[in-house]
C-alpha cells in the first residue's frame, strides 16, 4: 500500500508529511491519498479506525467496483468518482471519504489527475486556506475535465470518420465500431458521475460549506457539458453511418449505371450480329465481299449513337479511364459472382437441415436486436 499525506494549518502552504497528525489545527485539513489493492484490506482497516470511517465502505473501496455515487454516513461522506487512466482507454475508481478535517482518497490505479492536483496543492497557498470539501470539488473537477477532453477529441475523430464515410472507405465500419465502444465506455462513467455531483452539491450536510457547494456546482456544469457533448457525439456517429450507407449506395448506383450503359450499347450490336448469323441463304449482302464491312460500319454507327445519347442525358461525364475501368471491372466481377453466389445459397438451403436454418435465423435476429 502506498500512502502520501498532505497537511495544512489553513494559513500557509500545504506540506507533505509521512505520519497522520494526531490533531489538526483549527482551519486546517489533511489529505490522505492511498493507492491500495485487495491485499491491503488490513492496513486500510487500521486507517478507517483512526479516522472513524465506515469499515465496510473502506473494504469495498478495494474489493468492489461501483459506479459514481454519494453515501452520507453522518460523520463522513463517501463520494465515488471515476477518472481516465493515463496509458490506456479505461477508467478507474476513486473512493473519497470526507470528514470535517480530513479527505481520504482510495484508488487502485495510478492517477495523473491526482498527481497534478497534489503538486498544485504543494505550491499554492490560496488553495491551502480552503476546506477539504473544496478540495473534493477540485478533485471532481479535474477528473471530469479529463473525461471532457476525451469527448472533445472525439469531435476531431468524427470529422475524420465523415471524410472516410463520404469516400465509402472499406475500413470505415471497423473504425466506427471502435469509436462507438470508446463512447460507450465514457457514457457508463459520465452519466452516473453527473448524477453524483448533482446530489453532492445539494446534499444537506454540515461537511459541505457554501463555498464548497459553489465549486461543486461548477464541477457539475463540467459534467453536464461532457454528458451533452457525449450524446451529440453519439448522434453524429449515427449520421456518419447514414452518410456511409449513402456513399455505398451511390457507388453501387454508379456501377449499375455503367453496366446498364454497357448492356445498352452491346444489345443492338448483338441483335445485328444475331440477325446476320441466322442460317438462311438469302440474307442481304451474304454473297457480297464487302457485306461484312457494311455491317461493321452499321454496328459502329449504332455504338457511337448510343454513346452520344448517354453523353446528352448526362450519364457519361468524361471520367478518367482508370476510374471508369475500375468501376466497370467491379461491376463485371459482381455480375459474374452473382449466379455463383445464388446457386451456392440455393444448394446450401436445399441440403441444410431445418433445425440449422432455424438456428441461423434466430441467431441473425439476436444479432440484429437493439443494444440494451
Amino acid at each position: 500500500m502506498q500512502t502520501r499525506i498532505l497537511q495544512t494549518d489553513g494559513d500557509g502552504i500545504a506540506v507533505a508529511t509521512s505520519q497522520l497528525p494526531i490533531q489538526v489545527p483549527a482551519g486546517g485539513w489533511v489529505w490522505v491519498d492511498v493507492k491500495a489493492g485487495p491485499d491491503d484490506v488490513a492496513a486500510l482497516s487500521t486507517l478507517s479506525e483512526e479516522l472513524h470511517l465506515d469499515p465496510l465502505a473502506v473494504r469495498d473501496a478495494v474489493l468492489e467496483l461501483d459506479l459514481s455515487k454519494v453515501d452520507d454516513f453522518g460523520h463522513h461522506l463517501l463520494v465515488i468518482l471515476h477518472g481516465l487512466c493515463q496509458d490506456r482507454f479505461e477508467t478507474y475508481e476513486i473512493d473519497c471519504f470526507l470528514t470535517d478535517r480530513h479527505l481520504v482518497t482510495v484508488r487502485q490505479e495510478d492517477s495523473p489527475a491526482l498527481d497534478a492536483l497534489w503538486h498544485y496543492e504543494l505550491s499554492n497557498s490560496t488553495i491551502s486556506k480552503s476546506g477539504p470539501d473544496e478540495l473534493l470539488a477540485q478533485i471532481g473537477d479535474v477528473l471530469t475535465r479529463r473525461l471532457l477532453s476525451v469527448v472533445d477529441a472525439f469531435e476531431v475523430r468524427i470529422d475524420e470518420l465523415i471524410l472516410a464515410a463520404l469516400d465509402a472507405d472499406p475500413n470505415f465500419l471497423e473504425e466506427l465500431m471502435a469509436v462507438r465502444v470508446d463512447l460507450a465506455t465514457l457514457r457508463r462513467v459520465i452519466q452516473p458521475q453527473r448524477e453524483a455531483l448533482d446530489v453532492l452539491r445539494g446534499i444537506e450536510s454540515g461537511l459541505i460549506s457554501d463555498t464548497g457547494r459553489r465549486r461543486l456546482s461548477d464541477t457539475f456544469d463540467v459534467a453536464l457539458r461532457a454528458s451533452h457533448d457525449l450524446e451529440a457525439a453519439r448522434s453524429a456517429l449515427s449520421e456518419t453511418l447514414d452518410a456511409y450507407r449513402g456513399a455505398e449506395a451511390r457507388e453501387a448506383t454508379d456501377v449499375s449505371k455503367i453496366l446498364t450503359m454497357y448492356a445498352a450499347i452491346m444489345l443492338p450490336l448483338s441483335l445485328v450480329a444475331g440477325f446476320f448469323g441466322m442460317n438462311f441463304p438469302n440474307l442481304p449482302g451474304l454473297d457480297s465481299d464487302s457485306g461484312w464491312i457494311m455491317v461493321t460500319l452499321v454496328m459502329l454507327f449504332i455504338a457511337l449513337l448510343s454513346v452520344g445519347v448517354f453523353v446528352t442525358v448526362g450519364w457519361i461525364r468524361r471520367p478518367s479511364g482508370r476510374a471508369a475501368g475500375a468501376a466497370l471491372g467491379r461491376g463485371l466481377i459482381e455480375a459474374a459472382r452473382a449466379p455463383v453466389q445464388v446457386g451456392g445459397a440455393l444448394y446450401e438451403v436445399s441440403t441444410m437441415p431445418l433445425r440449422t436454418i432455424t438456428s441461423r435465423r434466430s441467431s441473425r435476429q439476436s444479432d440484429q436486436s437493439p443494444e440494451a
Side-chain angles (χ1 to χ4, degrees), residues 233-247:
R234 287 168 57 88
S235 300
L237 282 183
S238 300
E239 296 174 357
T240 305
L241 181 58
D242 293 339
Y244 172 74
R245 291 171 177 170

Side-chain angles (χ1 to χ4, degrees), residues 90-272:
E90 294 180 4
T91 58
Y92 61 92
E93 176 183 327
I94 298 181
D95 292 66
C96 305
F97 298 88
L98 176 67
T99 68
D100 56 344
R101 298 290 180 86
H102 297 83
L103 177 64
V104 180
T105 54
V106 181
R107 52 190 170 86
Q108 300 186 45
E109 299 281 346
D110 292 331
S111 176
L114 289 187
D115 292 340
L117 187 59
W118 180 276
H119 295 295
Y120 181 72
E121 294 286 346
L122 287 174
S123 59
N124 195 307
S125 59
T126 303
I127 300 300
S128 64
K129 295 180 181 180
S130 60
D133 57 334
E134 299 180 48
L135 177 61
L136 174 62
Q138 286 189 343
I139 292 177
D141 183 77
V142 173
L143 295 176
T144 308
R145 287 187 183 276
R146 278 181 57 85
L147 296 175
L148 178 61
S149 64
V150 176
V151 177
D152 293 338
F154 276 123
E155 296 182 359
V156 180
R157 184 65 179 135
I158 289 175
D159 292 339
E160 298 175 355
L161 288 177
I162 291 176
L163 296 178
L166 295 178
D167 294 336
D169 191 337
N171 300 323
F172 169 78
L173 290 179
E174 182 180 355
E175 297 178 0
L176 179 71
M177 291 306 300
V179 174
R180 186 174 182 181
V181 170
D182 292 341
L183 286 179
T185 301
L186 283 182
R187 188 172 184 268
R188 287 193 296 267
V189 171
I190 290 179
Q191 300 289 0
Q193 189 145 314
R194 181 195 65 181
E195 297 175 1
L197 292 172
D198 190 20
V199 172
L200 186 60
R201 68 171 182 164
I203 193 172
E204 295 182 359
S205 174
L207 300 176
I208 306 296
S209 62
D210 294 338
T211 306
R213 294 181 192 278
R214 287 194 295 269
R215 287 185 176 271
L216 288 171
S217 296
D218 295 338
T219 305
F220 170 76
D221 293 339
V222 176
L224 185 62
R225 177 191 166 190
S227 178
H228 289 170
D229 291 351
L230 182 61
E231 295 302 325
R234 287 168 57 88
S235 300
L237 282 183
S238 300
E239 296 174 357
T240 305
L241 181 58
D242 293 339
Y244 172 74
R245 291 171 177 170
E248 274 194 328
R250 185 182 66 247
E251 283 199 347
T253 303
D254 293 340
V255 172
S256 300
K257 185 184 297 184
I258 292 177
L259 288 177
T260 302
M261 291 186 294
Y262 179 78
I265 294 174
M266 295 301 298
L267 181 60
L269 304 183
S270 301
L271 178 62
V272 173

